[in-house]
């Protein structure tokens, strides 16, 4: 099959920059595109790279789109190399959109709200609770750690857990930015507090064995995120014995068909998460999440507050 190919690079500034242990992120840039088949039916796709997470860069994605030119074939798509994992996702999901794969309308997914880093997280948490009228319902929030000193972050954390509603849960995301003593300190604290759903990627991906040990030593669960950016890395960690949680960002994981196959064949505790896609990628990712994620856990898509406008 040959498709007409049109692509549209975009840029969206965050309302406030996102601070993680990888640095400061101010603008989300990506590419939306359409594939039109011989019957003039259109399928939409999005390429939303996250290079500091191990995906290709926006420039590499743009080069591929330019090389494709005005026409793309199924074979071109199959041959996208696995280094271009965000491109693989974009084209794979555009084909699914084109073939009108049955959409799961009854998503009924609960969202985890991403709070701003540092002290700003306290006010944001209160605002979300008031606005969404969530005061009495169990809600999930996520807060970044490993950005300032641990002493400073623990002080803010102690205030943050007091704001959480009864039954509310908090995820702490270190983005691989802690050292081993800091990771142990956070896990001890989380075990004492009891409302921490999990600590996400406490150490860098090279420290897989240490994280495996930590997951056996503490009651608080550990989730891998940076370690499992692509389906191939997901498989590696699974076969190396990871029994904890897997945060999956489908938009950079590779072909959705591969992710679907892996999740169906292996029983893993998966939390699906956003990479700040526009509504094109979001729709594709939420469809996958509705199909494959663990329904006892909120999906990491409470990120609308991070942009001025819907796109
Ligand atoms: Mg994370």
């Amino acid at each position: 099959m040959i498709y007409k190919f049109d692509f549209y690079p975009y840029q969206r500034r965050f309302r406030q920059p996102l601070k993680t242990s990888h640095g400061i992120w101010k603008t989300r840039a990506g590419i939306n595109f359409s594939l039109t088949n011989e019957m003039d039916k259109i399928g939409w796709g999005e390429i939303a790279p996250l290079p500091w997470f191990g995906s290709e860069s926006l420039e590499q994605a743009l080069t591929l789109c330019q090389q494709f030119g005005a026409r793309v074939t199924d074979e071109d798509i199959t041959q996208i190399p696995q280094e271009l994992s965000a491109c693989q996702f974009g084209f794979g999901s555009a084909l699914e959109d084109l073939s009108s794969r049955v959409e799961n309308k009854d998503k009924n997914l609960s969202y985890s709200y991403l709070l701003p880093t540092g002290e700003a997280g306290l006010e944001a948490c209160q605002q979300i609770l008031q606005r969404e009228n969530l005061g009495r319902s169990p809600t999930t929030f996520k807060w970044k750690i490993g950005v300032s000193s641990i002493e400073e972050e623990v002080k803010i954390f102690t205030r943050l857990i007091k704001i959480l509603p009864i039954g509310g849960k908090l995820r702490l995301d270190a983005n691989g930015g802690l050292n081993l003593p800091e990771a142990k300190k956070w896990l001890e604290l989380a075990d004492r507090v009891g409302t921490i759903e999990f600590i996400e990627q406490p150490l860098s991906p090279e420290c897989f064995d240490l994280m495996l040990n930590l997951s056996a030593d503490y009651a608080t669960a550990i989730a891998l995120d940076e370690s499992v950016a692509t389906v191939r890395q997901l498989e590696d960690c699974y076969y190396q014995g990871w029994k904890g949680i897997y945060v999956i960002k489908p938009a950079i994981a590779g072909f959705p068909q591969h992710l679907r196959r892996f999740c169906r064949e292996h029983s893993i505790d998966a939390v699906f998460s956003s990479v700040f896609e526009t509504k094109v990628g979001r729709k594709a990712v939420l469809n996958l999440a509705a199909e494959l994620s663990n329904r006892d856990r909120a999906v990491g898509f409470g990120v609308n507050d991070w942009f001025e406008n819907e796109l």
Side-chain angles (χ1 to χ4, degrees), residues 53 142 144 173 175 200-201 225-226 247 249:
F53 228 87
K142 173 154 137 179
K144 299 282 185 186
D173 186 4
N175 287 105
E200 195 170 312
Q201 196 75 39
D225 187 6
E226 275 83 346
V247 176
K249 294 175 156 59

Side-chain angles (χ1 to χ4, degrees), residues 148-158 182 185-186:
S148 314
S149 74
I150 188 162
E151 292 76 18
E152 223 171 291
E153 289 182 345
V154 168
K155 269 189 215 158
I156 302 170
F157 167 81
T158 319
E182 286 169 343
K185 199 165 168 193
W186 275 113

Side-chain angles (χ1 to χ4, degrees), residues 212-230:
L212 206 54
N213 295 341
L214 287 176
S215 68
D217 291 346
Y218 295 90
T220 303
I222 296 179
L224 296 182
D225 187 6
E226 275 83 346
S227 294
V228 293
T230 64

Side-chain angles (χ1 to χ4, degrees), residues 74-218:
D74 284 316
E75 204 188 348
D76 291 332
I77 293 173
T78 317
Q79 286 174 355
I80 299 172
Q82 63 184 18
E83 296 77 52
L84 305 184
S85 58
C87 290
Q88 284 189 339
F89 175 80
F91 283 93
S93 52
L95 286 183
E96 292 194 344
D97 191 35
L98 199 54
S99 67
S100 314
R101 224 189 111 80
V102 184
E103 192 176 326
N104 190 344
K105 292 256 181 345
D106 177 27
K107 293 205 174 63
N108 205 12
L109 295 163
S110 54
Y111 287 9
S112 160
Y113 295 87
L114 177 63
L115 298 173
T117 313
E119 217 169 343
L122 298 171
E123 204 191 321
C125 182
Q126 275 166 327
Q127 278 174 0
I128 293 168
L129 286 169
Q130 275 166 16
R131 188 192 63 208
E132 309 279 328
N133 203 13
L134 295 168
R136 282 189 208 157
S137 51
T139 311
T140 307
F141 292 95
K142 173 154 137 179
W143 189 60
K144 299 282 185 186
I145 57 171
V147 181
S148 314
S149 74
I150 188 162
E151 292 76 18
E152 223 171 291
E153 289 182 345
V154 168
K155 269 189 215 158
I156 302 170
F157 167 81
T158 319
R159 291 162 66 196
L160 184 56
I161 50 170
K162 286 185 190 141
I163 301 174
L164 287 185
I166 293 165
K169 289 180 198 156
L170 183 65
R171 301 171 174 177
L172 297 174
D173 186 4
N175 287 105
L178 304 178
N179 58 33
L180 188 58
E182 286 169 343
K184 287 182 175 174
K185 199 165 168 193
W186 275 113
L187 283 159
E188 275 161 27
L189 195 59
D191 277 3
R192 274 209 304 277
V193 169
T195 46
I196 306 308
E197 187 185 9
F198 54 77
I199 296 189
E200 195 170 312
Q201 196 75 39
L203 308 175
S204 73
E206 302 88 76
C207 304
F208 178 81
D209 291 338
L210 290 175
M211 286 190 281
L212 206 54
N213 295 341
L214 287 176
S215 68
D217 291 346
Y218 295 90

